[in-house]
Every structure is written in structure tokens, then in C-alpha cells.
Amino acid sequence: MQKEVNINDLWERFTKGSDARSFEALFHELNPRLIKFCTLYVHYQQVAEEIVSDVFVKCWMDRVQMQVVEKPETYLFIAVKNQALNYNKRFSSIQVVNIEDHDGGGILINEASPELELEKKELIFKMDQAIGTLPRQCGIIFRLIKENGMKYKEVAEILNISHRTVHTQMLRAMKKMSKAMDPYLKKANRQATDNLISTILVLFIFMGN
């Protein structure tokens, strides 16, 4: 909630007061997540970065008109999605790209246990592979909710689909993810040092909002 308030505040300051520092802070806050989201639609990281940059530049140039935007974070995700779809139409090339840069928040890092750290990285890689096997829309919904912490309503607005569709797709995603990751959960449960990994994985897959 606090993050949303901060984003709204930054948006108001740069659209109403042309505050460059607020605009820069907003860019640094949302840029990484928008790029990850964009790579789900386009081929290359560089293309995603350019699309997101173009969206931010347009926001700055049209900042006076942008004062009417009530949900800036949702607006930016929608703008990036539309730009990515336009790119795909121009180049007729759509591909789901696996995200390699994970932000684990440091929760599983254990410098005193290289084995645990190695297994954590392997587990994240397997999870990313499993997400990559989901249908495109299903995978995008799963990432927005589980990696970006968005609510079902926000995802529905971004993707222009119903709340029910988001809910249905998430149920399908969690079912597929549970099946795909079951062997790794069982392996983790057999090893005494891996209780934390299995717990985090279960929470990641099954905790809804």
C-alpha cells in the first residue's frame, strides 16, 4: 500500500509540478518491473528497454495531460503492453522470453551454506522453466501476481480481461506449477537443510491475493 501511495505522489509531483527528480524516482522504481513485463511480449531485452523508455519519455512530454491518470502504475503497464503488441505487429515476431534476472529479496541467500545457495538457484531456474511452459496469457498473469505482487483487479485492468478470467487462469497456473514442481518439493522435503526452500516454494505457488 505504501508503495502505491509513493508512486501516486511521485506521479502527481512530476505531472503537476514538472518535478524532474520525482520523474526520475518513478522511473527507477518501475523501470525494472516494466522491462521484465515487456520481455514477455517481445524478443529481446534491449527492445523491451527501448519500449519502456519510450513510454516514460512520452509521459514526460505529455505530463500536463497525464494529470488525469488516477492509477499511474496500472497505466504504465497497459502502455508498455500496448507498445509491445504494436512492436510484434510490425515485426510479426512473438516469443515468450524466460526471465533470468530474479529478485529473491535475499530471503534464501545463505553465504555459510554454498550447497543451499546452489540448490536455491537451481530451484529458481526450474520454477522459471515451469512458468515458461504455461500458455502466454496464463504465464503473464502468474508473473504479474506472484512476482509483481499485483491484485487480481489490477491484472484484469492491465490485460483488459475480466476478474473471473484472471482467477481461472491463476487456478490453472497454480495447478500446472504444483505438478511441475512436485518432484523438487519432494526432493527438498527429503533433505533436512531444505525446509526453508520447500516452504518458500509452497508459499510462492499457493498464496493468492
Side-chain angles (χ1 to χ4, degrees):
M1 180 62 67
Q2 182 64 33
K3 182 178 67 173
E4 181 180 354
V5 172
N6 289 340
I7 289 174
N8 290 341
D9 182 53
L10 292 172
W11 184 271
E12 183 176 0
R13 278 189 277 168
F14 102 76
T15 57
K16 293 184 178 180
S18 297
D19 187 341
R21 289 187 177 181
S22 295
F23 178 76
E24 183 179 356
L26 181 73
F27 176 83
H28 287 301
E29 174 69 26
L30 294 178
N31 187 55
R33 291 196 288 129
L34 288 170
I35 290 174
K36 283 186 178 183
F37 174 65
C38 192
T39 56
L40 297 173
Y41 289 94
V42 299
H43 271 290
Y44 306 110
Q45 176 86 6
Q46 182 178 355
V47 173
E49 291 174 354
E50 291 175 356
I51 288 175
V52 173
S53 293
D54 288 344
V55 168
F56 273 106
V57 168
K58 189 176 189 304
C59 286
W60 175 259
M61 294 179 64
D62 299 336
R63 57 190 178 279
V64 175
Q65 294 91 320
M66 292 294 168
Q67 294 179 22
V68 299
V69 175
E70 296 181 354
K71 300 178 181 178
E73 185 172 0
T74 300
Y75 172 85
L76 288 169
F77 270 91
I78 293 174
V80 167
K81 180 197 72 173
N82 290 338
Q83 287 290 90
L85 291 176
N86 288 337
Y87 171 87
N88 286 331
K89 286 180 181 179
R90 289 199 304 270
F91 295 97
S92 300
S93 179
I94 302 176
Q95 176 180 346
V96 176
V97 179
N98 288 330
I99 306 300
E100 297 179 354
D101 181 21
H102 293 272
D103 180 8
I107 192 168
L108 293 179
I109 294 178
N110 186 348
E111 295 180 355
S113 177
E115 296 83 3
L116 185 60
E117 177 65 15
L118 181 62
E119 184 169 351
K120 183 213 70 171
K121 291 181 179 180
E122 179 183 358
L123 187 60
I124 290 177
F125 176 74
K126 295 297 183 182
M127 287 179 62
D128 197 57
Q129 282 190 320
I131 295 173
T133 64
L134 297 173
R136 188 178 68 167
Q137 186 182 68
C138 191
I140 290 173
I141 291 171
F142 188 85
R143 288 189 185 278
L144 286 175
I145 292 173
K146 294 302 181 181
E147 294 184 358
N148 289 279
M150 290 188 170
K151 302 296 183 182
Y152 285 20
K153 182 179 179 180
E154 293 173 320
V155 174
E157 290 182 20
I158 290 170
L159 300 182
N160 194 28
I161 56 180
S162 69
H163 185 281
R164 179 180 293 274
T165 298
V166 174
H167 180 72
T168 300
Q169 291 293 326
M170 272 301 295
L171 288 178
R172 291 176 180 172
M174 289 189 289
K175 183 178 180 180
K176 289 179 179 292
M177 287 292 294
S178 177
K179 182 177 181 180
M181 299 306 298
D182 186 61
Y184 305 100
L185 277 172
K186 289 180 178 178
K187 178 182 177 182
N189 285 331
R190 287 197 299 266
Q191 300 177 9
T193 58
D194 291 331
N195 290 335
L196 180 59
I197 289 180
S198 59
T199 300
I200 294 298
L201 179 58
V202 170
L203 292 175
F204 179 79
I205 294 177
F206 293 105
M207 284 184 65
N209 62 5

